[in-house]
Amino acid sequence: MNVLVIGSGAREHALCRSLSLDPAVTALYCAPGNAGIAEVAELHQVDALDGEAVSALAVELGAELVVVGPEAPLVAGVADAVREAGIPVFGPSKEAAQLEGSKAFAKDVMAAAGVPTARSYVCTTPEEVAEALDAFGAPYVVKDDGLAAGKGVVVTDDLEAAAAHAAACEHVVIEEFLDGPEVSLFAITDGESVVPLQPAQDFKRALDGDEGPNTGGMGAYSPLPWADPKLVEEVLQTVLQPTVDEMRRRGTPFSGLLYAGLAITGRGVRVIEFNARFGDPETQVVLARLKTPLAGVLKAAATGDLADLPPLRWRDDAAVTVVIASHNYPGAPRTGDPITGLAEVAAEDAPHAYVLHAGTKDDDGAVVSAGGRVLSVTATGADLTEARERAYKAVARIGLDGSQHRTDIAAKAAADA
């Protein structure tokens, strides 16, 4: 199978790494990719938001499966253009991707499907914002209705900060605060059948102890030793399957990756948000534990054959990912700094630890930083303690001037396990 992956982050590197290890994959391409992905896939330049350009590239390369990684191309309708070219694509249509593209749309779908979520108001005027903030009280949860690369949500006790974030959004969703730990659960679907993956937990705040500003994610781990063993089945029955059924009922079937961000509250599981693609950095740990070859699973979703797929097989190992971010992230990041230590990790820590590239590029043979989140250092181990030790040992080998990373990824879960 010839496979083309669209995107350039650590999520796409994780996907390409798994696909490169799949014996069914005979040729692997990525567009536009990054310096790390170049080691496992042939890179091609393309505007990832241009559906015609992506479908033309897929035809030119003889791709038999296209995997669209990021949310922006999905919301822009890139998957539709590839389907129109007659090529199976893993990723929802433009209409179905509104589950992520619009928080208000997602709330409407959840209401129709009876999916448990936070009470919310969609606001378009300062008066409506003030009323909603007053109705819920602190802590305030304010969400940009549109795409914001994982950084459109503010949770704060500061009324002025909440109102300021709302004022910066064209449309805003204000909702009740959900207490309890958060869980990310991915499910692969062909629009009818739904196959959940293993749950993970990510760390959104920039600093240790969940301090500092919200980010796109500073690390993740899987499995969750503290979670109810029946959690995945419960979420499948109450959240994932009803949502997929409702999307199909509306005439906009959702196929691809449905990502449910969940809060495990005192009143039960509640959906915080849906995403229409693999999450970053959770993908890095979930795929590290998946034993079933990936290409066949994604192809079955793209062709409507998920019901015929044997049950997924998983490794017993735990996995931990630590994100190394550039100076000043999540503000305007400093880029162009050389990265050292990558060869040492490959020589000393493989196969239990490895580096997935996010914001990197090749600069005359040297790898330099090219974004906010630069690297995802991923490791596996017999348990979370061993996976953490291996991940942080590898992190210590890497040099990037001014970089930052959290030191407490999976620490509490490992200690409590």
PDB file of all heavy atoms in Angstrom, residues 46-83:
ATOM      1  N   VAL A  46       3.683  20.754  -0.313  1.00  0.00           N
ATOM      2  CA  VAL A  46       2.311  20.995  -0.729  1.00  0.00           C
ATOM      3  C   VAL A  46       1.686  21.987   0.247  1.00  0.00           C
ATOM      4  O   VAL A  46       2.096  22.050   1.416  1.00  0.00           O
ATOM      5  CB  VAL A  46       1.489  19.678  -0.764  1.00  0.00           C
ATOM      6  CG1 VAL A  46       1.066  19.250   0.642  1.00  0.00           C
ATOM      7  CG2 VAL A  46       0.259  19.803  -1.656  1.00  0.00           C
ATOM      8  N   ASP A  47       0.737  22.773  -0.229  1.00  0.00           N
ATOM      9  CA  ASP A  47      -0.064  23.598   0.663  1.00  0.00           C
ATOM     10  C   ASP A  47      -1.136  22.682   1.248  1.00  0.00           C
ATOM     11  O   ASP A  47      -2.064  22.282   0.539  1.00  0.00           O
ATOM     12  CB  ASP A  47      -0.690  24.759  -0.106  1.00  0.00           C
ATOM     13  CG  ASP A  47      -1.599  25.628   0.768  1.00  0.00           C
ATOM     14  OD1 ASP A  47      -1.817  25.270   1.940  1.00  0.00           O
ATOM     15  OD2 ASP A  47      -2.104  26.642   0.264  1.00  0.00           O
ATOM     16  N   ALA A  48      -0.992  22.351   2.546  1.00  0.00           N
ATOM     17  CA  ALA A  48      -1.879  21.363   3.172  1.00  0.00           C
ATOM     18  C   ALA A  48      -3.334  21.812   3.199  1.00  0.00           C
ATOM     19  O   ALA A  48      -4.229  20.991   3.393  1.00  0.00           O
ATOM     20  CB  ALA A  48      -1.401  21.059   4.592  1.00  0.00           C
ATOM     21  N   LEU A  49      -3.596  23.107   2.992  1.00  0.00           N
ATOM     22  CA  LEU A  49      -4.962  23.625   3.009  1.00  0.00           C
ATOM     23  C   LEU A  49      -5.595  23.657   1.621  1.00  0.00           C
ATOM     24  O   LEU A  49      -6.767  24.012   1.486  1.00  0.00           O
ATOM     25  CB  LEU A  49      -4.986  25.043   3.605  1.00  0.00           C
ATOM     26  CG  LEU A  49      -4.534  25.156   5.063  1.00  0.00           C
ATOM     27  CD1 LEU A  49      -4.495  26.617   5.491  1.00  0.00           C
ATOM     28  CD2 LEU A  49      -5.453  24.365   5.980  1.00  0.00           C
ATOM     29  N   ASP A  50      -4.824  23.295   0.601  1.00  0.00           N
ATOM     30  CA  ASP A  50      -5.297  23.347  -0.791  1.00  0.00           C
ATOM     31  C   ASP A  50      -5.707  21.940  -1.226  1.00  0.00           C
ATOM     32  O   ASP A  50      -4.869  21.108  -1.562  1.00  0.00           O
ATOM     33  CB  ASP A  50      -4.183  23.900  -1.689  1.00  0.00           C
ATOM     34  CG  ASP A  50      -4.614  24.086  -3.136  1.00  0.00           C
ATOM     35  OD1 ASP A  50      -5.593  23.436  -3.562  1.00  0.00           O
ATOM     36  OD2 ASP A  50      -3.957  24.870  -3.846  1.00  0.00           O
ATOM     37  N   GLY A  51      -7.013  21.675  -1.204  1.00  0.00           N
ATOM     38  CA  GLY A  51      -7.513  20.338  -1.526  1.00  0.00           C
ATOM     39  C   GLY A  51      -7.117  19.865  -2.905  1.00  0.00           C
ATOM     40  O   GLY A  51      -6.752  18.699  -3.100  1.00  0.00           O
ATOM     41  N   GLU A  52      -7.168  20.766  -3.893  1.00  0.00           N
ATOM     42  CA  GLU A  52      -6.805  20.376  -5.260  1.00  0.00           C
ATOM     43  C   GLU A  52      -5.338  19.994  -5.349  1.00  0.00           C
ATOM     44  O   GLU A  52      -4.972  19.027  -6.023  1.00  0.00           O
ATOM     45  CB  GLU A  52      -7.125  21.513  -6.237  1.00  0.00           C
ATOM     46  CG  GLU A  52      -8.615  21.685  -6.495  1.00  0.00           C
ATOM     47  CD  GLU A  52      -8.910  22.697  -7.592  1.00  0.00           C
ATOM     48  OE1 GLU A  52      -7.971  23.042  -8.349  1.00  0.00           O
ATOM     49  OE2 GLU A  52     -10.068  23.125  -7.687  1.00  0.00           O
ATOM     50  N   ALA A  53      -4.480  20.757  -4.647  1.00  0.00           N
ATOM     51  CA  ALA A  53      -3.043  20.457  -4.673  1.00  0.00           C
ATOM     52  C   ALA A  53      -2.754  19.130  -3.974  1.00  0.00           C
ATOM     53  O   ALA A  53      -1.942  18.330  -4.461  1.00  0.00           O
ATOM     54  CB  ALA A  53      -2.261  21.588  -4.003  1.00  0.00           C
ATOM     55  N   VAL A  54      -3.425  18.887  -2.865  1.00  0.00           N
ATOM     56  CA  VAL A  54      -3.213  17.625  -2.139  1.00  0.00           C
ATOM     57  C   VAL A  54      -3.695  16.436  -2.959  1.00  0.00           C
ATOM     58  O   VAL A  54      -3.001  15.418  -3.077  1.00  0.00           O
ATOM     59  CB  VAL A  54      -3.926  17.661  -0.757  1.00  0.00           C
ATOM     60  CG1 VAL A  54      -3.895  16.278  -0.099  1.00  0.00           C
ATOM     61  CG2 VAL A  54      -3.280  18.686   0.154  1.00  0.00           C
ATOM     62  N   SER A  55      -4.878  16.549  -3.576  1.00  0.00           N
ATOM     63  CA  SER A  55      -5.397  15.425  -4.368  1.00  0.00           C
ATOM     64  C   SER A  55      -4.531  15.196  -5.605  1.00  0.00           C
ATOM     65  O   SER A  55      -4.287  14.048  -5.991  1.00  0.00           O
ATOM     66  CB  SER A  55      -6.866  15.642  -4.745  1.00  0.00           C
ATOM     67  OG  SER A  55      -7.038  16.827  -5.474  1.00  0.00           O
ATOM     68  N   ALA A  56      -4.024  16.276  -6.216  1.00  0.00           N
ATOM     69  CA  ALA A  56      -3.134  16.126  -7.380  1.00  0.00           C
ATOM     70  C   ALA A  56      -1.852  15.405  -6.987  1.00  0.00           C
ATOM     71  O   ALA A  56      -1.361  14.530  -7.717  1.00  0.00           O
ATOM     72  CB  ALA A  56      -2.814  17.498  -7.974  1.00  0.00           C
ATOM     73  N   LEU A  57      -1.316  15.748  -5.816  1.00  0.00           N
ATOM     74  CA  LEU A  57      -0.102  15.074  -5.330  1.00  0.00           C
ATOM     75  C   LEU A  57      -0.384  13.599  -5.062  1.00  0.00           C
ATOM     76  O   LEU A  57       0.421  12.727  -5.412  1.00  0.00           O
ATOM     77  CB  LEU A  57       0.404  15.761  -4.062  1.00  0.00           C
ATOM     78  CG  LEU A  57       1.622  15.118  -3.395  1.00  0.00           C
ATOM     79  CD1 LEU A  57       2.842  15.170  -4.310  1.00  0.00           C
ATOM     80  CD2 LEU A  57       1.925  15.808  -2.059  1.00  0.00           C
ATOM     81  N   ALA A  58      -1.532  13.315  -4.465  1.00  0.00           N
ATOM     82  CA  ALA A  58      -1.893  11.925  -4.166  1.00  0.00           C
ATOM     83  C   ALA A  58      -1.998  11.102  -5.443  1.00  0.00           C
ATOM     84  O   ALA A  58      -1.525   9.956  -5.503  1.00  0.00           O
ATOM     85  CB  ALA A  58      -3.209  11.879  -3.396  1.00  0.00           C
ATOM     86  N   VAL A  59      -2.592  11.684  -6.485  1.00  0.00           N
ATOM     87  CA  VAL A  59      -2.710  11.000  -7.779  1.00  0.00           C
ATOM     88  C   VAL A  59      -1.320  10.773  -8.377  1.00  0.00           C
ATOM     89  O   VAL A  59      -0.988   9.675  -8.844  1.00  0.00           O
ATOM     90  CB  VAL A  59      -3.598  11.811  -8.740  1.00  0.00           C
ATOM     91  CG1 VAL A  59      -3.511  11.245 -10.153  1.00  0.00           C
ATOM     92  CG2 VAL A  59      -5.053  11.825  -8.253  1.00  0.00           C
ATOM     93  N   GLU A  60      -0.497  11.819  -8.337  1.00  0.00           N
ATOM     94  CA  GLU A  60       0.855  11.749  -8.908  1.00  0.00           C
ATOM     95  C   GLU A  60       1.694  10.658  -8.237  1.00  0.00           C
ATOM     96  O   GLU A  60       2.459   9.944  -8.899  1.00  0.00           O
ATOM     97  CB  GLU A  60       1.528  13.116  -8.728  1.00  0.00           C
ATOM     98  CG  GLU A  60       2.946  13.201  -9.260  1.00  0.00           C
ATOM     99  CD  GLU A  60       3.635  14.505  -8.827  1.00  0.00           C
ATOM    100  OE1 GLU A  60       2.938  15.535  -8.693  1.00  0.00           O
ATOM    101  OE2 GLU A  60       4.853  14.466  -8.601  1.00  0.00           O
ATOM    102  N   LEU A  61       1.523  10.504  -6.910  1.00  0.00           N
ATOM    103  CA  LEU A  61       2.319   9.528  -6.156  1.00  0.00           C
ATOM    104  C   LEU A  61       1.718   8.125  -6.186  1.00  0.00           C
ATOM    105  O   LEU A  61       2.325   7.188  -5.685  1.00  0.00           O
ATOM    106  CB  LEU A  61       2.452   9.985  -4.697  1.00  0.00           C
ATOM    107  CG  LEU A  61       3.227  11.282  -4.451  1.00  0.00           C
ATOM    108  CD1 LEU A  61       3.120  11.703  -2.989  1.00  0.00           C
ATOM    109  CD2 LEU A  61       4.687  11.124  -4.860  1.00  0.00           C
ATOM    110  N   GLY A  62       0.528   8.000  -6.756  1.00  0.00           N
ATOM    111  CA  GLY A  62      -0.133   6.694  -6.752  1.00  0.00           C
ATOM    112  C   GLY A  62      -0.567   6.267  -5.369  1.00  0.00           C
ATOM    113  O   GLY A  62      -0.584   5.069  -5.041  1.00  0.00           O
ATOM    114  N   ALA A  63      -0.933   7.229  -4.543  1.00  0.00           N
ATOM    115  CA  ALA A  63      -1.335   6.919  -3.157  1.00  0.00           C
ATOM    116  C   ALA A  63      -2.617   6.088  -3.152  1.00  0.00           C
ATOM    117  O   ALA A  63      -3.563   6.375  -3.878  1.00  0.00           O
ATOM    118  CB  ALA A  63      -1.545   8.207  -2.374  1.00  0.00           C
ATOM    119  N   GLU A  64      -2.619   5.051  -2.319  1.00  0.00           N
ATOM    120  CA  GLU A  64      -3.817   4.209  -2.155  1.00  0.00           C
ATOM    121  C   GLU A  64      -4.539   4.522  -0.845  1.00  0.00           C
ATOM    122  O   GLU A  64      -5.612   3.993  -0.587  1.00  0.00           O
ATOM    123  CB  GLU A  64      -3.401   2.744  -2.204  1.00  0.00           C
ATOM    124  CG  GLU A  64      -2.878   2.333  -3.572  1.00  0.00           C
ATOM    125  CD  GLU A  64      -1.949   1.136  -3.504  1.00  0.00           C
ATOM    126  OE1 GLU A  64      -0.766   1.301  -3.149  1.00  0.00           O
ATOM    127  OE2 GLU A  64      -2.424   0.025  -3.794  1.00  0.00           O
ATOM    128  N   LEU A  65      -3.928   5.390  -0.041  1.00  0.00           N
ATOM    129  CA  LEU A  65      -4.553   5.881   1.188  1.00  0.00           C
ATOM    130  C   LEU A  65      -3.920   7.223   1.521  1.00  0.00           C
ATOM    131  O   LEU A  65      -2.690   7.355   1.515  1.00  0.00           O
ATOM    132  CB  LEU A  65      -4.327   4.902   2.349  1.00  0.00           C
ATOM    133  CG  LEU A  65      -4.820   5.371   3.726  1.00  0.00           C
ATOM    134  CD1 LEU A  65      -6.347   5.498   3.753  1.00  0.00           C
ATOM    135  CD2 LEU A  65      -4.340   4.434   4.830  1.00  0.00           C
ATOM    136  N   VAL A  66      -4.768   8.214   1.793  1.00  0.00           N
ATOM    137  CA  VAL A  66      -4.290   9.521   2.254  1.00  0.00           C
ATOM    138  C   VAL A  66      -4.762   9.711   3.691  1.00  0.00           C
ATOM    139  O   VAL A  66      -5.941   9.499   3.996  1.00  0.00           O
ATOM    140  CB  VAL A  66      -4.800  10.672   1.361  1.00  0.00           C
ATOM    141  CG1 VAL A  66      -4.413  12.024   1.945  1.00  0.00           C
ATOM    142  CG2 VAL A  66      -4.254  10.520  -0.062  1.00  0.00           C
ATOM    143  N   VAL A  67      -3.844  10.081   4.568  1.00  0.00           N
ATOM    144  CA  VAL A  67      -4.153  10.316   5.979  1.00  0.00           C
ATOM    145  C   VAL A  67      -3.954  11.804   6.254  1.00  0.00           C
ATOM    146  O   VAL A  67      -2.830  12.307   6.164  1.00  0.00           O
ATOM    147  CB  VAL A  67      -3.240   9.477   6.900  1.00  0.00           C
ATOM    148  CG1 VAL A  67      -3.569   9.729   8.368  1.00  0.00           C
ATOM    149  CG2 VAL A  67      -3.351   7.990   6.561  1.00  0.00           C
ATOM    150  N   VAL A  68      -5.051  12.511   6.566  1.00  0.00           N
ATOM    151  CA  VAL A  68      -4.951  13.942   6.840  1.00  0.00           C
ATOM    152  C   VAL A  68      -4.767  14.122   8.339  1.00  0.00           C
ATOM    153  O   VAL A  68      -5.650  13.781   9.122  1.00  0.00           O
ATOM    154  CB  VAL A  68      -6.207  14.698   6.348  1.00  0.00           C
ATOM    155  CG1 VAL A  68      -6.049  16.193   6.592  1.00  0.00           C
ATOM    156  CG2 VAL A  68      -6.445  14.426   4.866  1.00  0.00           C
ATOM    157  N   GLY A  69      -3.611  14.668   8.732  1.00  0.00           N
ATOM    158  CA  GLY A  69      -3.285  14.772  10.148  1.00  0.00           C
ATOM    159  C   GLY A  69      -3.943  15.931  10.872  1.00  0.00           C
ATOM    160  O   GLY A  69      -4.708  15.729  11.817  1.00  0.00           O
ATOM    161  N   PRO A  70      -3.702  17.191  10.471  1.00  0.00           N
ATOM    162  CA  PRO A  70      -4.165  18.346  11.255  1.00  0.00           C
ATOM    163  C   PRO A  70      -5.628  18.697  11.005  1.00  0.00           C
ATOM    164  O   PRO A  70      -6.236  18.282  10.002  1.00  0.00           O
ATOM    165  CB  PRO A  70      -3.256  19.492  10.776  1.00  0.00           C
ATOM    166  CG  PRO A  70      -2.241  18.873   9.865  1.00  0.00           C
ATOM    167  CD  PRO A  70      -2.816  17.595   9.372  1.00  0.00           C
ATOM    168  N   GLU A  71      -6.166  19.515  11.915  1.00  0.00           N
ATOM    169  CA  GLU A  71      -7.572  19.899  11.833  1.00  0.00           C
ATOM    170  C   GLU A  71      -7.857  20.923  10.738  1.00  0.00           C
ATOM    171  O   GLU A  71      -8.902  20.868  10.085  1.00  0.00           O
ATOM    172  CB  GLU A  71      -8.060  20.430  13.184  1.00  0.00           C
ATOM    173  CG  GLU A  71      -7.342  21.654  13.718  1.00  0.00           C
ATOM    174  CD  GLU A  71      -6.107  21.340  14.542  1.00  0.00           C
ATOM    175  OE1 GLU A  71      -5.503  20.255  14.347  1.00  0.00           O
ATOM    176  OE2 GLU A  71      -5.734  22.184  15.369  1.00  0.00           O
ATOM    177  N   ALA A  72      -6.946  21.876  10.530  1.00  0.00           N
ATOM    178  CA  ALA A  72      -7.239  22.959   9.580  1.00  0.00           C
ATOM    179  C   ALA A  72      -7.517  22.440   8.161  1.00  0.00           C
ATOM    180  O   ALA A  72      -8.482  22.877   7.520  1.00  0.00           O
ATOM    181  CB  ALA A  72      -6.116  23.989   9.584  1.00  0.00           C
ATOM    182  N   PRO A  73      -6.718  21.501   7.606  1.00  0.00           N
ATOM    183  CA  PRO A  73      -7.052  20.963   6.284  1.00  0.00           C
ATOM    184  C   PRO A  73      -8.396  20.233   6.251  1.00  0.00           C
ATOM    185  O   PRO A  73      -9.102  20.294   5.236  1.00  0.00           O
ATOM    186  CB  PRO A  73      -5.898  19.993   5.987  1.00  0.00           C
ATOM    187  CG  PRO A  73      -4.778  20.448   6.843  1.00  0.00           C
ATOM    188  CD  PRO A  73      -5.419  20.997   8.085  1.00  0.00           C
ATOM    189  N   LEU A  74      -8.744  19.553   7.347  1.00  0.00           N
ATOM    190  CA  LEU A  74     -10.034  18.848   7.388  1.00  0.00           C
ATOM    191  C   LEU A  74     -11.186  19.836   7.331  1.00  0.00           C
ATOM    192  O   LEU A  74     -12.140  19.657   6.575  1.00  0.00           O
ATOM    193  CB  LEU A  74     -10.117  17.983   8.642  1.00  0.00           C
ATOM    194  CG  LEU A  74      -9.154  16.792   8.695  1.00  0.00           C
ATOM    195  CD1 LEU A  74      -9.107  16.196  10.087  1.00  0.00           C
ATOM    196  CD2 LEU A  74      -9.545  15.742   7.663  1.00  0.00           C
ATOM    197  N   VAL A  75     -11.092  20.903   8.139  1.00  0.00           N
ATOM    198  CA  VAL A  75     -12.144  21.924   8.158  1.00  0.00           C
ATOM    199  C   VAL A  75     -12.188  22.666   6.821  1.00  0.00           C
ATOM    200  O   VAL A  75     -13.235  23.154   6.405  1.00  0.00           O
ATOM    201  CB  VAL A  75     -11.929  22.883   9.354  1.00  0.00           C
ATOM    202  CG1 VAL A  75     -12.873  24.069   9.293  1.00  0.00           C
ATOM    203  CG2 VAL A  75     -12.134  22.128  10.665  1.00  0.00           C
ATOM    204  N   ALA A  76     -11.052  22.715   6.128  1.00  0.00           N
ATOM    205  CA  ALA A  76     -10.997  23.363   4.812  1.00  0.00           C
ATOM    206  C   ALA A  76     -11.523  22.471   3.687  1.00  0.00           C
ATOM    207  O   ALA A  76     -11.641  22.911   2.546  1.00  0.00           O
ATOM    208  CB  ALA A  76      -9.565  23.801   4.497  1.00  0.00           C
ATOM    209  N   GLY A  77     -11.811  21.197   3.980  1.00  0.00           N
ATOM    210  CA  GLY A  77     -12.387  20.307   2.977  1.00  0.00           C
ATOM    211  C   GLY A  77     -11.390  19.522   2.148  1.00  0.00           C
ATOM    212  O   GLY A  77     -11.739  19.012   1.076  1.00  0.00           O
ATOM    213  N   VAL A  78     -10.163  19.384   2.651  1.00  0.00           N
ATOM    214  CA  VAL A  78      -9.131  18.659   1.886  1.00  0.00           C
ATOM    215  C   VAL A  78      -9.522  17.191   1.677  1.00  0.00           C
ATOM    216  O   VAL A  78      -9.310  16.624   0.599  1.00  0.00           O
ATOM    217  CB  VAL A  78      -7.764  18.791   2.586  1.00  0.00           C
ATOM    218  CG1 VAL A  78      -6.754  17.788   2.017  1.00  0.00           C
ATOM    219  CG2 VAL A  78      -7.231  20.215   2.431  1.00  0.00           C
ATOM    220  N   ALA A  79     -10.117  16.569   2.693  1.00  0.00           N
ATOM    221  CA  ALA A  79     -10.507  15.154   2.553  1.00  0.00           C
ATOM    222  C   ALA A  79     -11.541  14.982   1.441  1.00  0.00           C
ATOM    223  O   ALA A  79     -11.510  13.988   0.701  1.00  0.00           O
ATOM    224  CB  ALA A  79     -11.053  14.618   3.872  1.00  0.00           C
ATOM    225  N   ASP A  80     -12.437  15.956   1.289  1.00  0.00           N
ATOM    226  CA  ASP A  80     -13.454  15.881   0.228  1.00  0.00           C
ATOM    227  C   ASP A  80     -12.797  15.869  -1.149  1.00  0.00           C
ATOM    228  O   ASP A  80     -13.191  15.107  -2.033  1.00  0.00           O
ATOM    229  CB  ASP A  80     -14.406  17.088   0.319  1.00  0.00           C
ATOM    230  CG  ASP A  80     -15.079  17.193   1.677  1.00  0.00           C
ATOM    231  OD1 ASP A  80     -14.463  17.750   2.596  1.00  0.00           O
ATOM    232  OD2 ASP A  80     -16.209  16.707   1.812  1.00  0.00           O
ATOM    233  N   ALA A  81     -11.786  16.730  -1.322  1.00  0.00           N
ATOM    234  CA  ALA A  81     -11.104  16.819  -2.619  1.00  0.00           C
ATOM    235  C   ALA A  81     -10.399  15.508  -2.959  1.00  0.00           C
ATOM    236  O   ALA A  81     -10.420  15.061  -4.112  1.00  0.00           O
ATOM    237  CB  ALA A  81     -10.104  17.978  -2.607  1.00  0.00           C
ATOM    238  N   VAL A  82      -9.796  14.880  -1.962  1.00  0.00           N
ATOM    239  CA  VAL A  82      -9.108  13.606  -2.196  1.00  0.00           C
ATOM    240  C   VAL A  82     -10.117  12.510  -2.529  1.00  0.00           C
ATOM    241  O   VAL A  82      -9.896  11.693  -3.445  1.00  0.00           O
ATOM    242  CB  VAL A  82      -8.248  13.223  -0.969  1.00  0.00           C
ATOM    243  CG1 VAL A  82      -7.600  11.851  -1.183  1.00  0.00           C
ATOM    244  CG2 VAL A  82      -7.175  14.278  -0.713  1.00  0.00           C
ATOM    245  N   ARG A  83     -11.247  12.490  -1.811  1.00  0.00           N
ATOM    246  CA  ARG A  83     -12.287  11.492  -2.113  1.00  0.00           C
ATOM    247  C   ARG A  83     -12.807  11.661  -3.532  1.00  0.00           C
ATOM    248  O   ARG A  83     -13.082  10.681  -4.227  1.00  0.00           O
ATOM    249  CB  ARG A  83     -13.443  11.625  -1.117  1.00  0.00           C
ATOM    250  CG  ARG A  83     -13.196  10.946   0.199  1.00  0.00           C
ATOM    251  CD  ARG A  83     -14.449  10.788   1.035  1.00  0.00           C
ATOM    252  NE  ARG A  83     -14.051  10.380   2.390  1.00  0.00           N
ATOM    253  CZ  ARG A  83     -13.810  11.216   3.377  1.00  0.00           C
ATOM    254  NH1 ARG A  83     -13.968  12.516   3.205  1.00  0.00           N
ATOM    255  NH2 ARG A  83     -13.429  10.774   4.562  1.00  0.00           N
TER     256      ARG A  83
END
